């Protein structure tokens, strides 16, 4: 009996529509009050505050219709209850009922409709029993136009039934019409949302298939060649004999081929990830441990990491710091293998984050590994977050210095 569902969203209707409803119901309520027994008695010389209370109620109660979108049940119940005790007519409960049916569905709505039907029958019956003709709104409107207002008059049961059915039918019909329009609008929005999601999923599937195809082609084409290169370099190193330069060159080729294979595997794993997949959430509090156990594995690394309030660092900043540190150590391993790497990371909410890395410069290795590509990637990450990148030679040391703001924007 008390269960119901919302139809659409409880959005505020246009103000002009609410104003029209309020003005129309005020006029109809005042009309009912004007042709009521208290007003007839006042015209015959009676006095008291009751007619003034009636007029005030007829003008103030319709203002509740401004909140009919939020509290349709409350509006309908209050207006129906007031119409039972005060002769303000049944226009207000019927308008509120139409709003209720248009915005809610369920057993509670139809129980309320039954209640409004009973109160409407009471209001119509009370008005039909009022005498004389001037004390009844229905008799004044439906009775003979030339009849004396001070004379008693009667209305037929057919007239009263017609008024009851017409008023309640218009209210229910208007409410059902509004409900159907709101349901159609909600269905249209839902269909559009489903189409957007379906289109997005189709695009993501197409991109995933394309990335998977590229990953297979790269793996087949490059993986085989790098494996052969590593194998031939290993054979050359093993057969170098007493020539250390040949052995060192073969070792260098084999090491770089192995590093290229690692990079290729990393690239293929990225390509095979779901489109738009987010990396697992990380925190700067774990940066020192991750650097030692993962990024700097197998390197001669000396690091100093101190970040104040690391747990509160924004996720984009945290991800950028991890990626930049990883790229710096990877570049150092490529263009200066077996060299000591010095890494410093300092940060705080007030000062931002600074990353400094340096190691001995090895010209031949740097040129062969193409380290400028890694620096370009670091520069793009830093600029994307509003930071800066500086790098260059300091004596025989190659130094990279990155600054990142704590608050992004």
């Amino acid at each position: 009996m008390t269960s119901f569902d919302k139809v659409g969203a409880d959005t505020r209707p246009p103000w002009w529509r609410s104003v029209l409803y309020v003005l129309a119901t005020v006029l109809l309520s005042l009309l009912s009050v004007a042709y009521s027994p208290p007003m007839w008695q006042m015209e015959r010389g009676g006095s008291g505050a009751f007619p003034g209370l009636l007029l005030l109620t007829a003008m103030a109660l319709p203002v509740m219709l401004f909140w009919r979108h939020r509290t349709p049940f409350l509006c309908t119940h209050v207006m129906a209850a007031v119409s039972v005790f005060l002769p303000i007519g049944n226009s207000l409960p019927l308008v509120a009922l139409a709003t209720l049916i248009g915005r809610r569905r369920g057993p509670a709505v139809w129980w309320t409709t039954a209640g409004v039907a009973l109160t409407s029958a009471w209001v119509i019956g009370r008005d039909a029993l009022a005498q004389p003709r001037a004390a009844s709104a229905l008799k004044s409107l439906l009775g003979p136009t030339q009849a004396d207002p001070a004379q008693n008059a009667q209305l037929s049961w057919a007239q009263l039934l017609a008024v009851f059915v017409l008023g309640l039918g218009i209210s229910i019909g208007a409410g059902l019409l509004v409900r159907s329009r709101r349901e159609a609008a909600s269905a249209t929005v839902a269909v559009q949302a489903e189409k957007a999601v379906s289109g997005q999923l189709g695009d993501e599937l197409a991109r995933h298939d394309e990335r998977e195809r590229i990953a297979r082609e790269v793996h087949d084409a490059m993986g085989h060649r790098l494996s052969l290169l590593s194998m031939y370099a290993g054979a050359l190193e093993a057969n170098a004999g007493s020539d250390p330069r040949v052995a060192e060159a073969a070792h260098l080729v084999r090491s770089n081929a192995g590093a290229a294979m690692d990079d290729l595997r990393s690239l293929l794993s990225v390509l095979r990830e779901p489109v738009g997949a987010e990396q697992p959430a990380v925190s700067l509090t774990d940066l020192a441990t991750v650097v030692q156990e993962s990024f700097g594995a197998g390197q001669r690394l000396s690091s100093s990491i101190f970040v104040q309030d690391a747990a509160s660092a924004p996720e984009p900043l945290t991800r950028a710091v991890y990626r930049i540190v990883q790229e710096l150590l990877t570049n150092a391993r490529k263009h200066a293998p077996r060299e000591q790497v010095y890494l410093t990371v300092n940060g705080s909410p007030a000062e931002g984050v600074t990353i400094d890395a340096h190691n001995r410069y090895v010209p031949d290795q740097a040129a062969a590994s193409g380290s400028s590509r890694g620096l370009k990637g670091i520069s793009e990450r830093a600029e994307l977050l509003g930071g800066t990148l500086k790098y260059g030679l300091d004596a025989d040391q190659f130094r990279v210095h990155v600054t990142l703001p704590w608050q992004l924007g």
Side-chain angles (χ1 to χ4, degrees), residues 194-208:
E194 290 293 334
K195 286 183 177 180
V197 172
S198 177
Q200 182 180 1
L201 291 176
D203 293 341
E204 290 181 359
L205 180 60
R207 287 197 298 269
H208 178 74

Side-chain angles (χ1 to χ4, degrees), residues 225-393:
R225 293 184 181 274
L226 288 173
S227 298
L228 289 177
L229 179 61
S230 180
M231 182 180 66
Y232 292 150
L236 180 61
E237 182 181 5
N239 297 312
S242 59
D243 191 341
R245 291 179 299 175
V246 175
E248 184 178 359
H251 176 76
L252 179 60
V253 171
R254 186 166 61 86
S255 298
N256 279 277
M261 283 294 295
D262 293 339
D263 292 342
L264 179 62
R265 293 190 188 96
S266 177
L267 174 61
L268 294 180
S269 67
V270 172
L271 284 174
R272 286 179 170 134
E273 287 180 354
V275 179
E278 291 290 338
Q279 297 297 327
V282 293
S283 172
L284 288 182
T285 56
D286 302 324
L287 180 59
T289 302
V290 175
V291 166
Q292 293 294 338
E293 294 181 354
S294 178
F295 296 167
Q299 288 183 265
R300 297 175 57 192
L301 175 64
S302 176
S303 61
S304 173
I305 300 175
F306 176 77
V307 181
Q308 183 180 354
D309 294 335
S312 66
E315 186 176 346
L317 172 64
T318 301
R319 188 177 296 113
V321 170
Y322 271 80
R323 291 293 179 260
I324 290 173
V325 170
Q326 184 179 29
E327 189 67 30
L328 287 174
L329 296 178
T330 301
N331 283 348
R333 186 185 69 246
K334 287 182 177 180
H335 75 256
R338 299 182 299 278
E339 295 295 335
Q340 182 81 16
V341 180
Y342 299 91
L343 173 69
T344 303
V345 180
N346 290 313
S348 68
E351 302 295 334
V353 177
T354 61
I355 306 170
D356 187 89
H358 63 93
N359 54 267
R360 193 176 72 85
Y361 182 64
V362 183
D364 294 338
Q365 293 289 336
S369 62
S371 60
S372 60
R373 291 193 297 271
L375 292 174
K376 182 178 179 181
I378 295 174
S379 177
E380 290 175 352
R381 286 186 179 275
E383 291 176 358
L384 184 64
L385 300 180
T388 60
L389 166 68
K390 296 180 181 179
Y391 63 91
L393 288 175

Side-chain angles (χ1 to χ4, degrees), residues 86-297:
L86 299 178
I88 61 172
N90 61 351
S91 59
L92 270 173
L94 293 178
V95 171
L97 178 63
T99 298
L100 173 64
I101 295 175
R103 291 180 174 269
R104 300 290 187 269
R105 67 163 70 89
V109 175
W110 299 115
W111 281 105
T112 303
T113 303
V116 172
L118 291 176
T119 59
S120 294
W122 170 269
V123 170
I124 292 173
R126 180 182 59 193
D127 188 77
L129 294 176
Q131 298 292 353
R133 177 173 176 269
S136 170
L138 290 177
K139 293 175 182 177
S140 299
L141 293 174
L142 302 178
T145 56
Q146 302 299 326
D148 185 1
Q151 298 295 323
N152 292 341
Q154 300 293 333
L155 293 176
S156 67
W157 285 103
Q159 289 176 307
L160 297 179
L161 182 62
V163 171
F164 173 79
V165 172
L166 183 63
L168 196 62
I170 291 176
S171 176
I172 296 176
L176 292 176
L177 177 62
V178 172
R179 178 190 292 184
S180 65
R181 293 177 61 184
R182 291 175 64 83
E183 289 176 340
S186 299
T188 301
V189 172
V191 169
Q192 292 176 348
E194 290 293 334
K195 286 183 177 180
V197 172
S198 177
Q200 182 180 1
L201 291 176
D203 293 341
E204 290 181 359
L205 180 60
R207 287 197 298 269
H208 178 74
D209 291 342
E210 181 65 17
R211 287 155 66 106
E212 184 67 27
R213 185 185 65 81
I214 293 173
R216 287 196 303 269
E217 291 183 0
V218 171
H219 179 271
D220 294 342
M222 299 299 299
H224 179 64
R225 293 184 181 274
L226 288 173
S227 298
L228 289 177
L229 179 61
S230 180
M231 182 180 66
Y232 292 150
L236 180 61
E237 182 181 5
N239 297 312
S242 59
D243 191 341
R245 291 179 299 175
V246 175
E248 184 178 359
H251 176 76
L252 179 60
V253 171
R254 186 166 61 86
S255 298
N256 279 277
M261 283 294 295
D262 293 339
D263 292 342
L264 179 62
R265 293 190 188 96
S266 177
L267 174 61
L268 294 180
S269 67
V270 172
L271 284 174
R272 286 179 170 134
E273 287 180 354
V275 179
E278 291 290 338
Q279 297 297 327
V282 293
S283 172
L284 288 182
T285 56
D286 302 324
L287 180 59
T289 302
V290 175
V291 166
Q292 293 294 338
E293 294 181 354
S294 178
F295 296 167

